[in-house]
Amino acid sequence: VILFLMTMPQYGNPSQLKEIKDKLFEAVKKGDISATKEILEAKPELIKSSIRGGWTLLHRAKSHGNLIEFLIKKGADIKAKTNGGWTALHSQAYYGTAAGIRALIKHGADIETKQRNGMTPLMMTITSTTTMMKPMTMTTSLTTTMMTTMMMMTMMTTTNSATKMKTVKTQH
């Protein structure tokens, strides 16, 4: 990847730039943090890019907490929305993992924002347990963890202080 990028001018022609962008989105989708780093080092302006429908790198970094952390540190917009109003947190709540949810919330993702159909990330998590989890072969314990994480974060927002939050114990 690096050799390919090093041969490219700083601002290559549109088809070359599209090819690099496609490689970046594919690396993010696969969770390949090293390829993602290499591409963003060569083309840092791509951190703000999106693909059809308004999906950003953070939207595509499903199930990859460390990659999400890296993208945010590089300047990815945590508040970016797709054409349907999904934030990266909606995407992570529907398709991702508790680690991804925690990473986004830790960096200030809004847990109350609603997508075009009025659903919050918590609602997306609940919806995913019935529609998306089976095809993704995610376990019940992961689903429970994701839902618990979202509920705990909602409680933290409601009390406006993590120190006021009471320990929530759940039985599995």
Side-chain angles (χ1 to χ4, degrees), residues 68-80:
I68 290 169
E69 292 276 350
F70 171 76
L71 293 171
I72 292 169
K73 287 178 185 169
K74 286 294 186 184
D77 183 2
I78 202 164
K79 295 180 181 180

Side-chain angles (χ1 to χ4, degrees), residues 102-130:
R102 279 192 294 271
L104 289 166
I105 291 171
K106 174 179 142 187
H107 290 282
D110 182 1
I111 64 172
E112 298 296 325
T113 193
K114 294 179 180 177
Q115 47 88 290
R116 185 173 44 201
N117 294 331
M119 294 184 73
T120 65
L122 178 58
M123 291 173 179
M124 299 299 283
T125 303
I126 293 166
T127 301
S128 73
T129 63
T130 58

